[in-house]
Amino acid sequence: MNEILHNLSLIKERISKACNESNRNPSDVKLLLATKTVSSERIKTALNAGYTLIAENKVQELKEKFAALEAVPHTNHFIGHLQTNKIKDLLKYNIACIHSLDRFDLAEKLHQRLQFENKTLDVLIQVNTSFEESKFGVSPDHALAIVKQIAQLGTLKVRGLMTIGLLSAEAHNVRRCFRLLKDIQQQIIASKIPNVEMKELSMGMSNDLEIAIAEGATILRIGTAVFGKRIYPDSYYWNEDKG
Ligand SMILES: *Cc1c(COP(=O)(O)O)cnc(C)c1O
């Protein structure tokens, strides 16, 4: 059996086991494939097997793979740090949801461009639940305020929150990040902000998906466990201009 297909079946098993253990329905947990550095040929293997939700971190990579993937039905999300000068480019590639909205100025510029194109866009607010300097995301203290601000921008549909848990740490420290995201979600729901939905919690990656499911994840973002190790360190994607 092809390695990618084999890995996908292992992931599916891990998801259903974790859902079982926390009394959740596996159909409430979406599997998103993080495809950074993965070739379009390898991505196609997953798409053809029915795993059709994928996401890139960089507009450049999205662009490079777009033509090769266009004929294969799939849904594109965007999970990387987005610079305002890339917005126009990004919107060319049928992005259904941006998980990494973390600044009001970025939201405003997205809104302006979406208005111009007469479009709307689903977004998740990225929260820095690990308090690591190097990570993108709004600080947990500011999440509610920024959601209120973004809710005023009619083209942006806030659907939930995203976070990257603490890496290679003990389970309880990872869990604390995911719990915090859930707490923030509950706080925002309680604030009943018009134009804001808080259904999605995008959290959990190859190494911590079980904890994320136990804490309420609705979207898992999985790369390594499906496609294998990447040659670039993740810092290349996660803190490119943060020193
Ligand atoms: C790469 C990436 C993932 C997937 O991480 P793995 O550990 O490879 O599963 C998830 N989320 C974001 C934002 C990523 O950049």
Side-chain angles (χ1 to χ4, degrees), residues 135-149:
K135 295 265 184 70
F136 292 111
V138 300
S139 80
D141 289 350
H142 291 131
L144 177 61
I146 201 169
V147 169
K148 281 182 178 161
Q149 278 186 302

Side-chain angles (χ1 to χ4, degrees), residues 71-83:
V72 194
H74 66 279
T75 304
N76 273 319
H77 285 191
F78 189 78
I79 58 176
H81 179 64
L82 181 59
Q83 285 152 339

Side-chain angles (χ1 to χ4, degrees), residues 34 36 57 79 162 164 205-206 221-224 230 238:
K36 57 179 180 266
N57 287 64
I79 58 176
M162 181 274 242
I164 299 172
M205 314 197 315
S206 294
R221 307 179 311 268
I222 309 294
T224 311
R230 292 175 291 268
W238 291 348

Side-chain angles (χ1 to χ4, degrees), residues 104-121:
F104 187 63
D105 77 308
L106 175 63
E108 275 184 308
K109 295 211 166 80
L110 263 171
H111 173 64
Q112 282 162 14
R113 185 67 204 177
L114 287 162
Q115 267 188 321
F116 179 76
E117 295 188 12
N118 205 10
K119 285 186 192 165
T120 62
L121 183 63

Side-chain angles (χ1 to χ4, degrees), residues 157-192:
K157 308 294 173 194
V158 180
R159 301 298 190 203
L161 305 173
M162 181 274 242
T163 201
I164 299 172
L166 205 61
L167 299 173
S168 55
E170 292 164 50
H172 70 272
N173 289 327
V174 180
R175 190 179 302 277
R176 192 189 299 145
C177 297
F178 297 155
R179 254 187 209 167
L180 178 54
L181 199 69
K182 177 96 192 172
D183 286 349
I184 296 167
Q185 178 202 38
Q186 295 307 312
Q187 192 194 351
I188 294 170
I189 289 172
S191 303
K192 296 191 163 69

